[in-house]
């Protein structure tokens, strides 16, 4: 086993260290989510935390880490007789992003359960993590079915494995720690809310600090054991401080005045539900114990808010995390007098961490903190009017580049799906063969049996009972009789947006409505767990504004800063999209694409631009790419060019009004597959 990097040797990252230490003092805080760019010691800090955790007393031989003082009466290895427990180090169990369901919750031997009536159960990672730390690196990339299992275990404190009437239950209470890079996509709101605290980390811009990081890392890589030995004294002191804070924690007083400040803060920032209030109270109590105090102060409440509220106040993935600290200070002042006489203007009121990893100074600077996200407050009225003389018909001279306009308010869109049955990554858009969903049939298992089809198994075994010498009531089942259930669910797709940013789109201030529609589709893609990409075209060429990614937030940022003006090289945009899809088919052949072209169809520039766009559309159709054209044409005179483009693509055309889910223009628009209409 390799020697972990010492926790106290981590340079900077005060909020990260404080969030982890507060959970070590009080696991009831509920874990921590670490958000930040790559290479910022996120994983290093989490793995180093286990060495600081107090040892755990367990029942000897129990695979589920039962506490000898109060063993689980339903433990699969129980019942446990009274016996002296043994102590072991707290575990840090890592959940790989690509883990299977059986690896997470455990596996039940269905064949033995049916033929012998024996519950032969092999524990999974949830059992290993009981009374320890469950660490998920890149938690935002975790598959939905694993997220569902984590949510169930976190809510109930137990894991259930059920296979056709045979079930096993065991306790699963763990400290959930996740790390993620927001550029790769956001978390589902339900899982995000399960993390008690969240911290933002970024690489230091201080030269001396960066030099010290490199110096320590090189020293550790050269001699891990020697490096750890040099930090052993600091590690021991921090371990003792955690133990002392745990002893003090039950004696910490949370007064009614402090509770009022907590409730007022959560109400002021409009967080959903009551979990935020409870987490803030537990965090403030842990902060007081960490500082060696028996009474929670307003400073503790302020620090608790900075750690526990930013991820709970987001309304959609385009909202930037963080809190308005001026508003926070005003709320605390209005909710009650300062009981400890502290100064609210202190930018770092948390406990003094020094060299032992304490401290914390609120929310660190955001990588794009100066960027204002698209919101409902930005409307067509705030956008810049188009310059006089901007052309709106093909063939006329194009105007110059115009400044980006704000997006209109997003809305709920109709369901757009890829026809047929896919086999891509789990999601919520198109029909697909998946491990979860409704049962549609049965097949012979290829490899390990995961989802038993009981009726088909019994039907296969029934004709052979006399030959097998059946004498009792039980059914004689053999391996060849087992049948795997085939299931149908939903998959996530690659939604590639091709957005017309030419001068004709900017005319009559249509671009604000167009951006609002694309933002709405991006929000829908986020909720349906799609990958997204963005191609824009204007002037003489097309650009890949965003290669396919899981980060819908990044796509929204690119769209927000999109300038408009110039001619309409529609064919170039479609050909650029073809190149992107060709590469993505090689990278991820199971993920089916959905092409969304947002344009008025008025191709200009070069010889026969409309005919050239039609040939580019037929190229997509020949490769079976599902497509939809969002027709942005407006005014009394309509040429219908977007509809003609949709026919060339073999797809469907919808207007901006028809795209709304509450539109009366029709029911859900399913995208037509290439060749389906032929």
């Amino acid at each position: 086993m390799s020697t972990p990097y010492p926790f106290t040797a981590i340079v900077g990252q005060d909020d990260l260290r404080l969030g982890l230490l507060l959970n070590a003092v009080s696991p009831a805080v509920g874990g921590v989510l670490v958000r930040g760019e790559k290479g910022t010691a996120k994983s290093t800090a989490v793995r180093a935390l286990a060495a600081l955790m107090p040892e755990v007393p367990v029942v000897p031989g129990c695979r589920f880490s039962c506490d000898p003082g109060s063993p689980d009466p339903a433990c699969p290895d129980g019942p446990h007789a009274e016996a002296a427990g043994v102590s072991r180090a707290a575990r840090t169990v890592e959940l790989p992003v690509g883990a299977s369901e059986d690896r997470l919750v455990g596996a039940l031997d269905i064949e033995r359960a049916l033929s012998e009536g024996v519950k032969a159960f092999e524990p999974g990672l949830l059992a290993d993590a009981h009374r320890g730390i469950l660490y998920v690196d890149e938690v935002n990339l975790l598959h939905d079915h694993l997220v569902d299992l984590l949510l169930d275990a976190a809510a109930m404190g137990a894991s259930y494995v059920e296979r056709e009437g045979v079930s096993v239950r065991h306790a699963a209470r763990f400290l959930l720690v996740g790390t993620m890079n927001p550029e790769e996509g956001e978390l589902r709101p339900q899982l995000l809310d399960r993390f008690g605290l969240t911290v933002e980390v970024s690489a230091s811009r201080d030269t001396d600090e960066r030099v010290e990081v490199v110096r320590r890392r090189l020293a550790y890589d050269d001699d891990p054991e020697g490096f750890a030995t040099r930090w052993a004294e600091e590690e021991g002191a921090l371990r003792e401080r955690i133990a002392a804070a745990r002893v003090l924690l039950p004696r910490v007083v949370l007064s009614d005045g402090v509770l009022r400040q907590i409730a007022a803060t959560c109400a002021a920032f409009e967080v959903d539900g009551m979990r935020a209030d409870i987490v803030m109270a537990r965090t403030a109590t842990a902060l007081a114990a960490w500082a060696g105090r028996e009474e929670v102060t307003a400073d503790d409440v302020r620090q608790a808010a900075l750690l526990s509220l930013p991820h709970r106040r987001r309304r959609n993935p385009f909202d930037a995390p963080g809190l308005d600290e001026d508003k926070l200070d005003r709320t605390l002042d209005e909710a009650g007098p300062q009981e400890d006489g502290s100064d609210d203007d202190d930018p770092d009121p948390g406990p003094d961490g020094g060299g032992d990893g304490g401290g914390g100074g609120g929310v660190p600077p955001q990588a794009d903190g100066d960027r204002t996200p698209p919101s409902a407050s930005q409307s067509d009225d705030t956008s810049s009017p188009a310059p006089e003389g901007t052309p709106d018909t093909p063939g006329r001279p194009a105007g110059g580049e115009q400044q980006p306009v704000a997006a209109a308010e997003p809305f709920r869109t109709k369901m757009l799906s890829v026809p047929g049955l896919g086999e891509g990554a789990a999601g919520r858009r198109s029909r697909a063969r998946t491990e979860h969903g409704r049962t549609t049939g049965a097949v012979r298992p290829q490899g390990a049996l995961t989802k038993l089809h009981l009726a088909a198994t019994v039907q296969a075994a029934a004709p052979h009972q006399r030959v097998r010498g059946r004498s009792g009531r039980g059914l004689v089942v053999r391996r060849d009789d087992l049948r795997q259930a085939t299931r149908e669910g939903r998959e996530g797709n690659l939604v590639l947006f091709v957005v017309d940013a030419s001068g004709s789109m900017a005319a009559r201030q249509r671009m604000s409505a167009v951006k609002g529609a694309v933002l709405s589709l991006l929000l829908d893609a986020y909720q349906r767990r799609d990958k997204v990409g963005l191609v824009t075209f204007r002037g003489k060429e097309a650009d890949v504004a965003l290669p396919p990614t899981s980060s819908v937030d990044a796509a929204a940022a690119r769209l927000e800063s999109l300038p408009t003006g110039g001619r309409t090289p529609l064919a170039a945009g479609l050909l650029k999209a073809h190149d992107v899809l060709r590469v993505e088919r090689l990278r991820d052949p199971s993920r089916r694409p959905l092409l969304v072209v947002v344009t008025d169809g008025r191709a200009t520039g070069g010889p026969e631009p409309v005919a050239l766009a039609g040939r580019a559309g037929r190229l997509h159709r020949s490769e079976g790419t599902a497509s939809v054209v969002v027709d942005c044409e407006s005014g009394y005179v309509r040429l219908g060019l977007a509809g003609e483009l949709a026919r060339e693509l073999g797809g469907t055309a919808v207007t901006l009004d028809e795209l709304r889910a509450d539109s009366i223009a029709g029911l859900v628009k399913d995208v037509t597959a290439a060749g389906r209409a032929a």
Side-chain angles (χ1 to χ4, degrees):
M1 181 177 180
S2 61
T3 303
Y5 192 91
F7 190 89
T8 50
I10 296 173
V11 179
Q13 306 296 8
D14 291 339
D15 286 334
L16 168 59
R17 292 184 291 160
L18 179 61
L20 293 172
L21 289 170
L22 291 178
N23 277 276
V25 171
S26 176
V29 166
V32 59
L33 174 65
V34 186
R35 297 164 47 93
E37 59 197 36
K38 52 188 176 294
T40 49
K42 300 188 299 292
S43 300
T44 299
V46 174
R47 296 187 178 105
L49 179 66
L52 303 175
M53 300 284 286
E55 291 190 337
V56 179
V58 297
V59 173
C62 178
R63 298 175 297 168
F64 301 89
S65 302
C66 279
D67 186 348
S70 56
D72 182 6
C75 176
D77 285 354
H80 297 298
E82 293 185 6
V86 296
S87 295
R88 62 161 175 78
R91 293 173 178 163
T92 297
V93 178
E94 296 193 30
L95 171 59
V97 171
S100 65
E101 178 181 339
D102 287 346
R103 184 71 187 98
L104 178 61
V105 301
L108 191 65
D109 192 327
I110 301 298
E111 185 175 2
R112 290 188 63 190
L114 286 176
S115 60
E116 303 176 26
V118 176
K119 291 184 180 179
F121 181 70
E122 183 65 28
L125 295 177
L126 290 180
D128 293 340
H130 179 46
R131 305 176 67 201
I133 301 171
L134 181 63
Y135 170 48
V136 189
D137 192 15
E138 304 295 351
V139 63
N140 51 325
L141 304 182
L142 201 63
H143 289 300
D144 275 358
H145 68 284
L146 297 182
V147 171
D148 293 337
L149 295 171
L150 275 182
L151 289 172
D152 290 342
M156 298 183 293
S159 175
Y160 292 84
V161 181
E162 299 189 9
R163 299 287 166 81
E164 303 295 345
V166 181
S167 65
V168 173
R169 172 209 169 275
H170 66 82
R173 291 182 295 275
F174 46 83
L175 176 61
L176 181 61
V177 180
T179 57
M180 60 175 283
N181 184 347
E183 293 179 356
E184 297 173 340
E186 287 293 341
L187 275 180
R188 283 173 51 182
Q190 297 91 334
L191 182 57
L192 188 64
D193 190 51
R194 280 292 170 186
F195 286 98
L197 311 179
T198 183
V199 294
E200 299 277 339
V201 296
S202 59
S204 173
R205 299 299 182 255
D206 181 80
T207 302
D208 292 337
E209 193 168 288
R210 294 175 74 96
V211 168
E212 185 61 23
V213 170
V214 175
R215 181 183 292 116
R216 293 185 186 184
R217 186 69 209 190
L218 293 178
Y220 170 78
D221 291 340
D222 290 341
D223 183 9
E225 294 184 3
F227 184 82
T229 300
R230 290 194 293 274
W231 287 89
E233 184 176 349
E234 288 82 353
E235 290 281 289
L238 185 55
R239 193 178 296 109
E240 291 176 2
R241 185 176 176 183
I242 293 173
R246 282 195 168 199
V247 173
L248 180 62
L249 186 66
R251 303 200 302 269
V252 175
V253 176
L254 194 68
S255 67
D256 288 344
V258 169
L259 281 175
R260 181 172 294 277
Q261 286 182 315
I262 291 173
T265 301
C266 293
F269 285 98
E270 300 180 350
V271 296
D272 295 331
M274 294 298 298
R275 183 174 286 117
D277 303 63
I278 297 171
V279 171
M280 269 192 68
R282 290 171 174 167
T283 304
T285 304
L287 279 163
W290 177 245
R293 289 184 271 101
E294 295 188 5
E295 186 174 357
V296 176
T297 67
D299 285 343
D300 296 327
V301 176
R302 186 182 192 278
Q303 183 70 57
L306 293 172
L307 292 171
S308 58
L309 294 188
H311 61 299
R312 291 188 165 88
R313 59 170 295 275
R314 303 185 75 189
R315 290 295 180 265
N316 63 60
F318 311 135
D319 291 337
L323 290 182
D324 182 341
E325 297 194 33
D326 291 336
K327 179 180 179 180
L328 175 60
D329 291 335
R330 290 194 303 271
T331 302
L332 292 175
D333 287 339
E334 294 169 0
Q338 294 288 324
E339 296 181 357
D340 60 350
S342 62
D343 183 4
D344 274 351
D345 292 333
D346 182 1
D348 185 7
D352 181 15
D356 60 4
V363 179
Q366 303 294 319
D368 56 347
D370 294 333
R371 180 177 65 83
T372 302
S375 65
S377 64
Q378 295 172 313
S379 63
D380 293 353
D381 295 334
T382 63
S383 60
S384 303
E388 294 184 5
T390 301
D392 192 30
T393 56
R396 296 177 62 181
E401 179 177 313
Q402 302 175 31
Q403 293 298 318
V405 298
E409 181 179 359
F411 52 84
R412 190 166 64 90
T413 66
K414 280 186 168 65
M415 172 68 170
L416 302 174
S417 62
V418 179
L421 196 63
E423 296 180 348
R428 295 189 179 88
R429 184 170 297 278
S430 305
R431 295 173 54 220
R433 298 183 184 91
T434 61
E435 295 183 0
H436 301 269
R438 64 185 183 90
T439 301
T440 58
V443 295
R444 290 182 180 271
Q446 303 293 326
L449 179 70
T450 56
K451 298 292 183 182
L452 178 74
H453 194 296
L454 183 59
T457 298
V458 172
Q459 185 176 4
H464 309 291
Q465 296 305 295
R466 180 174 297 179
V467 176
R468 295 173 182 174
R470 172 184 169 185
S471 58
R473 298 177 60 184
L475 190 68
V476 181
V477 179
R478 294 181 179 173
R479 178 69 185 176
D480 291 343
D481 301 327
L482 299 179
R483 295 294 182 269
Q484 174 87 19
T486 57
R487 304 195 175 200
E488 182 179 311
R490 293 280 173 177
E491 68 176 0
N493 298 110
L494 166 59
V495 182
L496 181 61
F497 294 92
V498 182
V499 179
D500 185 348
S502 64
S504 64
M505 293 288 288
R508 304 192 187 101
Q509 299 182 2
R510 278 184 290 166
M511 202 60 194
S512 178
V514 169
K515 285 188 175 182
V518 178
L519 279 177
S520 304
L521 291 168
L522 284 171
L523 181 59
D524 181 68
Y526 165 75
Q527 294 168 341
R528 300 189 187 281
R529 313 303 289 174
D530 295 318
K531 289 180 68 175
V532 297
L534 179 62
V535 173
T536 64
F537 57 93
R538 55 182 291 273
K540 297 182 180 180
E541 59 184 15
D543 296 312
V544 180
L546 182 71
T549 176
S550 297
S551 178
V552 174
D553 186 43
R558 299 291 196 281
L559 182 71
E560 180 188 359
S561 60
L562 179 66
T564 58
R567 295 186 178 275
T568 311
L570 178 56
L574 294 174
L575 292 176
K576 181 68 72 173
H578 178 268
D579 292 339
V580 172
L581 293 180
R582 177 177 54 81
V583 173
E584 286 301 308
R585 285 191 179 97
L586 297 175
R587 290 177 176 172
D588 190 359
S590 63
R591 188 181 289 269
R592 297 187 294 165
L594 172 60
L595 184 68
V596 179
V597 184
V598 184
T599 183
D600 57 9
R602 300 187 178 191
T604 59
E608 300 184 347
V610 175
L612 187 59
R615 288 197 292 271
R618 290 192 294 274
L619 178 61
H620 283 280
R621 180 176 182 174
S622 67
E623 296 187 352
T625 302
S627 60
V628 60
V629 177
V630 180
D631 186 357
C632 302
E633 193 173 30
S634 62
Y636 294 105
V637 178
R638 296 174 180 253
L639 303 179
L641 295 176
E644 293 183 13
L645 176 63
R647 286 188 287 274
E648 297 287 8
L649 287 165
T652 303
V654 295
T655 65
L656 290 175
D657 290 336
E658 291 173 339
L659 193 61
R660 294 178 177 269
D662 54 359
S663 170
I664 61 175
L667 300 176
V668 173
K669 294 279 187 179
D670 286 330
V671 180
T672 305
R676 185 175 176 181

